[in-house]
Amino acid sequence: MDLGTIRNRMEAKDGTGYRHVQEICDDVRLVFSNAMTYNHEGTDVHLMAKTLSEKFEDKWKTSLEPKVIEEDAKRRQEEKEVHMRDLETIQLAEEAALEKHANDLNNQLDELYSQLEVLRQEVAPQCRMMTTEEKRQLGQSLSHLSPEDLSKAIQLIAQKNPDFKASGEEVEVDIDAQDASTLWRLQHFVRAVMVSQNKSIGSRTFGGNVKRVGSVSDVVGKPRKRGRKTSP
């Protein structure tokens, strides 16, 4: 390594030149180190190399190195900002993809719900009326539901009867006022719950919810008798 080679690499345009100022500094130090190593102390070459090395180090410490450090810090900051922008772009793209996927799923669910509703409306008129005994059994089945499942059953009723509201501990349901499709949907729901619990309908009790379940059983489990009142 010599100063001429260093100069040529500094001026190179074919991609073989230095990429960083620190590389130039390292090669200059290598030139002076070799000159002092391979020339005995006291010789002109050794003395000149030592003198130039000291001047170079002084110049490097006072002028060049601070600028190099500043430029390096600036370059790292720019690289960090570019990296952050890339991450932000990737994150935004992922969020957009997730949002699109969620919207697609919602649209599919809405379409499926619409199709099910159309099917329900087509099938509902064909449902036969429940007998009095079937209504009584349905009421008993409802009385064995957990509070959570009972709430879902009430929601089924409310879907067909928007004016129906349940609040507090008492729930009043006129089972005779429900249409056939609602009653059969309730029965299907109750059976599905009982199968999933793998228990018989009459084996479930709910401790602190006896009052509410009893109220529903009393009203739902007993179809309203329709008849003509007679005067005493």
Side-chain angles (χ1 to χ4, degrees):
M1 180 60 63
D2 57 71
L3 296 178
T5 301
I6 294 174
R7 183 181 183 86
N8 291 335
R9 288 193 62 186
M10 290 175 62
E11 297 175 351
K13 305 296 184 181
D14 57 357
T16 60
Y18 293 107
R19 297 184 178 181
H20 194 276
V21 177
Q22 186 64 48
E23 296 178 355
I24 302 175
C25 177
D26 293 340
D27 279 352
V28 170
R29 285 171 174 169
L30 179 61
V31 170
F32 295 146
S33 176
N34 288 341
M36 289 184 288
T37 299
Y38 297 106
N39 293 274
H40 296 294
E41 188 175 355
T43 62
D44 291 342
V45 174
H46 186 100
L47 182 60
M48 290 175 60
K50 183 177 180 181
T51 302
L52 290 174
S53 176
E54 291 174 351
K55 290 184 177 181
F56 173 77
E57 293 297 338
D58 180 65
K59 186 70 173 179
W60 173 259
K61 293 293 184 182
T62 57
S63 300
L64 298 177
E65 188 175 39
K67 293 181 179 179
V68 171
I69 294 175
E70 181 181 354
E71 289 297 324
D72 284 347
K74 183 178 180 180
R75 176 178 53 81
R76 286 193 295 268
Q77 181 63 28
E78 291 176 350
E79 291 176 350
K80 181 179 179 180
E81 292 176 356
V82 171
H83 180 65
M84 293 300 295
R85 286 196 296 269
D86 291 342
L87 289 179
E88 184 178 357
T89 300
I90 294 174
Q91 183 178 1
L92 291 175
E94 291 178 347
E95 291 177 355
L98 288 175
E99 183 177 1
K100 182 179 182 302
H101 183 61
N103 290 334
D104 291 342
L105 287 178
N106 286 333
N107 292 335
Q108 293 175 10
L109 290 174
D110 290 341
E111 179 65 21
L112 179 60
Y113 179 80
S114 299
Q115 294 176 2
L116 290 175
E117 183 62 21
V118 171
L119 180 61
R120 187 186 69 81
Q121 293 177 1
E122 292 177 353
V123 173
Q126 304 176 20
C127 295
R128 70 173 178 82
M129 298 298 296
M130 270 192 178
T131 64
T132 301
E133 177 61 20
E134 287 173 332
K135 292 179 181 179
R136 185 188 66 79
Q137 292 179 359
L138 176 59
Q140 289 181 345
S141 299
L142 289 171
S143 70
H144 292 289
L145 293 178
S146 67
E148 180 180 358
D149 289 330
L150 184 60
S151 177
K152 293 179 181 178
I154 292 174
Q155 290 177 11
L156 288 177
I157 299 175
Q159 288 178 3
K160 195 64 180 294
N161 300 276
D163 295 333
F164 175 80
K165 295 181 180 179
S167 60
E169 295 293 331
E170 300 294 334
V171 181
E172 294 185 2
V173 178
D174 183 0
I175 197 168
D176 286 327
Q178 311 307 317
D179 59 20
S181 64
T182 299
L183 294 177
W184 289 115
R185 289 178 68 190
L186 283 173
Q187 186 182 72
H188 178 75
F189 171 74
V190 170
R191 287 179 177 175
V193 170
M194 294 305 174
V195 169
S196 66
Q197 294 174 344
N198 196 23
K199 292 183 179 180
S200 62
I201 293 177
S203 64
R204 194 76 180 269
T205 58
F206 296 99
N209 296 290
V210 172
K211 180 179 179 181
R212 182 179 181 186
V213 174
S215 299
V216 175
S217 177
D218 292 341
V219 180
V220 179
K222 297 179 181 180
R224 179 179 297 177
K225 295 182 180 180
R226 301 182 183 276
R228 181 180 301 174
K229 294 183 178 179
T230 57
S231 301

